[in-house]
Amino acid sequence: QVQLVQSGAEVKKPGASVKVSCKASGYTFSDYYIHWVRQAPGQGLEWMGWISPNSGDTNYAQKFQGRVTMTRDTSITTAYMDLSRLRSDDTAIYYCVRDGAVAPKNDAFDIWGQGTMVTVPS
Amino acid sequence: DIQMTQSPSTLSASVGDRVTISCRASQSIGTWLAWYQQKPGKAPKLLIYKASILETGVPSRFSGSGSGTEFTLTISSLQPDDFATYYCQQYNSFSYTFGQGTKLEIK
């Protein structure tokens, strides 16, 4: 079945970086954009950006530009999200999500990973 | 950036009730709107896309309507499984914004 499986929980010190992985299976990885969305404890959803697994092109939300890097390895159908210069307010669950349309079109987010908790103690 | 405003923030209702959640966009987004359901400790689940199209497998008691800046999610007859938090999301022109969420509670 179509699924996204993410790496495990992380605890990082302020100022450090974290890299979260997202393994895709059950569909043609290169056909659909992968987005990253985060959710702070008890808060709403925040879109961070997307990557095209086919071309490697990226589009980051302005808030995260300069701190986030999204990459992919097509040989192992895995996407990565690297967030640097971590602060306590980066503590959140990070989700990778598949776009519902075949690229280059875009649509709603139809498949979600299970989420990765990243904790940055203050 | 396009801002999305949901109302109400919290809604108390009973099994069998008909409920409506509203979502307003700060500028026109056509029908590029989705609704998601999230239960505690779980990832969100897509319910409706393009404002009114039901995702495969979603019960028909869920429906969506609207275009431009005003949108509505309706649950025709609440079931116990429907008590959750609901988010709207706009995805116009490769920009993405979520509403702040509506928590649907048991009265």
Side-chain angles (χ1 to χ4, degrees), chain A residues 34 91 112:
Chain A
I34 292 288
T91 293
W112 292 66

Side-chain angles (χ1 to χ4, degrees), chain B residues 20-67:
Chain B
T20 297
I21 298 170
S22 296
C23 180
R24 173 176 291 177
S26 60
Q27 65 188 71
S28 178
I29 57 170
T31 57
W32 300 112
L33 185 103
W35 290 97
Y36 300 88
Q37 176 194 66
Q38 187 178 32
K39 296 182 179 179
K42 299 293 187 181
K45 171 188 171 184
L46 177 64
L47 299 177
I48 287 170
Y49 61 99
K50 287 193 180 75
S52 62
I53 301 175
L54 209 61
E55 175 73 340
T56 302
V58 174
S60 59
R61 63 181 180 272
F62 291 92
S63 63
S65 63
S67 65

Side-chain angles (χ1 to χ4, degrees), chain A residues 33 35 37 39 43-47 50 59 62 95 97 99 104-115, chain B residues 1 32 34 36 38 42-46 48-50 55 87 89 91-100:
Chain A
Y33 295 125
H35 300 261
V37 174
Q39 186 171 38
Q43 303 301 309
L45 302 166
E46 182 174 34
W47 176 75
W50 58 254
N59 179 26
Q62 189 167 10
Y95 294 101
V97 196
D99 195 292
K105 295 183 178 180
N106 72 312
D107 209 322
F109 300 168
D110 66 345
I111 303 295
W112 292 66
Q114 83 277 19
Chain B
D1 288 359
W32 300 112
Y36 300 88
Q38 187 178 32
K42 299 293 187 181
K45 171 188 171 184
L46 177 64
I48 287 170
Y49 61 99
K50 287 193 180 75
E55 175 73 340
Y87 294 93
Q89 177 212 24
Y91 51 100
N92 182 56
S93 300
F94 285 93
S95 82
Y96 306 85
T97 324
F98 292 91
Q100 80 279 17

Side-chain angles (χ1 to χ4, degrees), chain A residues 35-115:
Chain A
H35 300 261
W36 291 87
V37 174
R38 77 176 187 180
Q39 186 171 38
Q43 303 301 309
L45 302 166
E46 182 174 34
W47 176 75
M48 300 178 69
W50 58 254
I51 182 168
S52 165
N54 183 46
S55 65
D57 289 346
T58 55
N59 179 26
Y60 303 141
Q62 189 167 10
K63 174 177 179 176
F64 299 101
Q65 286 189 7
R67 278 211 305 146
V68 72
T69 304
M70 296 177 188
T71 57
R72 92 290 188 217
D73 184 338
T74 56
S75 68
I76 56 172
T77 65
T78 298
Y80 302 92
M81 187 283 299
D82 194 314
L83 188 62
S84 64
R85 304 193 300 277
L86 289 168
R87 307 184 292 256
S88 57
D89 62 358
D90 291 317
T91 293
I93 298 172
Y94 289 77
Y95 294 101
C96 64
V97 196
R98 191 185 82 161
D99 195 292
V102 173
K105 295 183 178 180
N106 72 312
D107 209 322
F109 300 168
D110 66 345
I111 303 295
W112 292 66
Q114 83 277 19

